Amino acid sequence: MMVTKTVKDLRKHIKELHLSPVGLVPTMGALHEGHLSLVRNAAAQCPLVVISIYVNPTQFNDKEDLKNYPRTIEADLHLLKEVLRKSDIVFNPDDKEIYPTEDKRVFHFGNLENVMEALHRPGHFNGVAQVVSRLFEIVNPDIAYFGMKDFQQVAVIKELVKQTGYKVRIIGNPIIREADGLAMSSRNRLLEPEIRKKAPVIYKTILSASEMTDKLDIPEIKEYVRKTIENENGFSVEYFEIVDDAELIPVSKKRELKTRKHYFGCIAVKAGKIRLIDNIEIQLV
Ligand code: PAF
């Protein structure tokens, strides 16, 4: 694999290699098995994979979160050596390469900016759209791969592609979990040991909730999720919403569920000082 920090070098290599389709895996580093599964899928479909490792400041609404975000480039490169091929590229730019001038673009995503993460992390998706659109312009990929743990992010990026007309197919890969069920996340390594031990309660609870629509209505399911998780010391639920997978409109009553649609229970939890998200498909009866 080759590693580059500059847009100029990256473009030169992509041009020289002249391979297609080009797969892009955007990441913020601190790689784990979830990222590696994206890279493996990309490599199975694309003769050239570009993985970007860049902690994008514009998507952090919380400056402390940006400061504390894990940066582990040496370990990341070590892991990538195992999964990337000779011609694949790691793009590890600094801020000036991505934003030579301040990015003042403002994106609008309709209902997607009125629910869940958008409400709790103001400006977050605008920053995601800024960096992802920059990466699309730099790499010009045919396919881009994202993890479905960031359920709303995938919907936002699909909408971005629709609005801007980028010729890129967006693939959302299934969530990869630890053996105890916790969704893999770069932030897991920041959890205090006691909190980490209890963190599987998040998945366990939404898994049970996903099978409850035959017995309980939505407000009761939401109440069950909140109570069960908050029963653990140090855990508080920011939101748990059941939304359809297209427009992400929250459902408030069971009678609104349509059997031809797919619904997901999406959750954000403060686990100690760390914010975690997860989601699961809701079983319809
Ligand atoms: O999901 C992430 O890691 C980031 O939001 C992304 C897509 C790499 C943009 O910085």
Side-chain angles (χ1 to χ4, degrees):
M1 72 194 191
M2 80 152 281
V3 183
T4 175
K5 290 186 89 59
T6 69
V7 173
K8 195 168 155 228
D9 266 4
L10 175 68
R11 283 194 172 133
K12 183 167 161 268
H13 282 285
I14 295 175
K15 198 167 166 206
E16 281 170 4
L17 287 164
H18 199 66
L19 293 166
S20 149
V22 176
L24 170 67
V25 181
T27 81
M28 298 206 296
L31 301 182
H32 50 68
E33 192 48 43
H35 297 112
L36 299 184
S37 82
L38 295 178
V39 174
R40 282 193 204 98
N41 288 354
Q45 294 178 325
C46 306
L48 173 57
V49 173
V50 177
I51 171 167
S52 61
I53 298 181
Y54 175 62
V55 181
N56 170 39
T58 71
Q59 72 186 73
F60 285 81
N61 53 314
D62 175 351
K63 294 297 159 221
E64 270 304 288
D65 190 21
L66 172 62
K67 202 175 98 201
N68 296 332
Y69 200 84
R71 289 157 173 90
T72 59
I73 186 69
E74 288 312 320
D76 292 349
L77 293 177
H78 192 73
L79 286 174
L80 288 173
K81 271 192 201 130
E82 302 299 313
V83 288
L84 288 179
R85 299 152 302 187
K86 204 161 162 267
S87 58
D88 293 327
I89 307 173
V90 182
F91 179 45
N92 176 217
D94 60 23
D95 292 339
K96 275 272 164 277
E97 290 292 316
I98 297 291
Y99 302 116
T101 56
E102 192 187 344
D103 193 338
K104 295 194 173 136
R105 289 173 299 163
V106 177
F107 296 85
H108 293 289
F109 299 113
N111 181 63
L112 298 178
E113 52 187 35
N114 297 327
V115 291
M116 304 194 294
E117 290 300 285
L119 293 183
H120 289 267
R121 302 186 68 188
H124 169 63
F125 287 127
N126 203 66
V128 169
Q130 288 175 338
V131 74
V132 169
S133 59
R134 275 293 290 146
L135 291 169
F136 286 171
E137 280 154 18
I138 294 167
V139 177
N140 194 19
D142 300 288
I143 314 178
Y145 298 81
F146 297 87
M148 285 307 288
K149 181 173 72 67
D150 294 288
F151 184 82
Q152 191 170 359
Q153 170 169 277
V154 174
V156 164
I157 291 166
K158 284 184 175 164
E159 180 60 28
L160 172 75
V161 169
K162 206 156 106 192
Q163 288 180 13
T164 52
Y166 292 123
K167 299 264 174 299
V168 55
R169 183 150 68 93
I170 303 302
I171 295 193
N173 274 7
I175 298 175
I176 306 293
R177 298 184 180 280
E178 301 287 355
D180 60 11
L182 179 66
M184 287 198 186
S185 163
S186 303
R187 288 189 168 86
N188 289 354
R189 65 186 82 196
L190 302 175
L191 295 168
E192 297 150 55
E194 270 313 294
I195 295 282
R196 171 62 190 87
K197 251 188 246 161
K198 293 190 250 168
V201 70
I202 302 169
Y203 175 59
K204 216 169 137 225
T205 307
I206 61 171
L207 180 62
S208 305
S210 74
E211 294 163 351
M212 283 180 170
T213 51
D214 58 337
K215 298 185 283 291
L216 301 180
D217 205 341
I218 310 289
E220 292 155 347
I221 298 176
K222 289 171 83 165
E223 181 63 9
Y224 162 81
V225 167
R226 183 174 292 278
K227 274 205 173 139
T228 312
I229 292 177
E230 293 189 347
N231 207 22
E232 296 292 351
N233 242 341
F235 287 70
S236 71
V237 174
E238 262 187 20
Y239 65 78
F240 173 71
E241 295 287 0
I242 294 180
V243 299
D244 68 274
D245 67 345
E247 288 169 274
L248 275 57
I249 296 181
V251 178
S252 54
K253 284 279 170 199
K254 213 159 79 168
R255 61 171 184 269
E256 295 165 18
L257 297 170
K258 311 238 169 21
T259 46
R260 58 176 198 287
K261 284 194 173 186
H262 293 276
Y263 295 90
F264 284 76
C266 300
I267 192 161
V269 174
K270 204 75 193 281
K273 295 194 188 88
I274 305 305
R275 193 174 179 279
L276 300 176
I277 57 172
D278 201 347
N279 65 79
I280 192 161
E281 182 156 8
I282 299 292
Q283 308 299 314
L284 299 183
V285 280

